[in-house]
Amino acid sequence: MKTRMRADLRTAMKDGRGGDARLIRSLIAAIDNAEAPPARASSGAAEQHRFLSGSAEVERLLLDAERVRAILLAEIEEREQVTAEMDRLDRPDRADAIRAEARLAASYLSRS
């Protein structure tokens, strides 16, 4: 999924679709954040690592398709809530833009 998103990001940037590029970057970041392993309780902020030793490298979590789908659904739901708020505030231009973001995010669900 992230490979497809990164390819779509490059295309959006080449085509000058800044809004789409921002959204895709945001979706990739949400998935990247979920892949981050939890911090170890015993490690302090000042833990020393030898340069280029690889001791600071931590393996990312592997997310299954269902977890990635849940992340995308949460991103879509968040945008739908913002859209409702923009409608309530009588900001149809902003609501339409966010609605378009939700549709683009939803397109990744149908392609998975």
Side-chain angles (χ1 to χ4, degrees):
M1 174 79 64
K2 280 190 346 184
T3 303
R4 184 179 321 137
M5 287 179 174
R6 285 190 175 107
D8 291 348
L9 174 59
R10 283 189 294 276
T11 301
M13 289 170 49
K14 285 179 185 177
D15 294 347
R17 293 178 294 140
D20 290 356
R22 278 188 299 279
L23 172 69
I24 296 168
R25 244 187 236 111
S26 174
L27 296 176
I28 292 170
I31 294 169
D32 282 345
N33 288 341
E35 290 176 337
R40 293 178 290 178
S42 63
S43 68
E47 185 177 329
Q48 293 291 324
H49 297 282
R50 290 193 355 242
F51 188 66
L52 293 179
S53 70
S55 64
E57 295 297 317
V58 178
E59 189 171 330
R60 310 280 296 170
L61 301 176
L62 295 175
L63 303 180
D64 62 6
E66 197 55 40
R67 179 69 179 120
V68 172
R69 181 178 177 74
I71 292 165
L72 291 176
L73 285 170
E75 292 290 318
I76 293 165
E77 182 179 334
E78 181 180 327
R79 282 163 177 78
E80 288 171 348
Q81 290 173 356
V82 172
T83 298
E85 183 66 13
M86 290 296 117
D87 284 337
R88 187 185 73 75
L89 295 172
D90 197 27
R91 297 283 314 271
D93 55 328
R94 190 68 189 121
D96 290 342
I98 297 169
R99 222 175 256 115
E101 287 182 6
R103 280 192 302 270
L104 178 57
S107 73
Y108 286 102
L109 292 175
S110 64
R111 292 194 252 173
S112 60

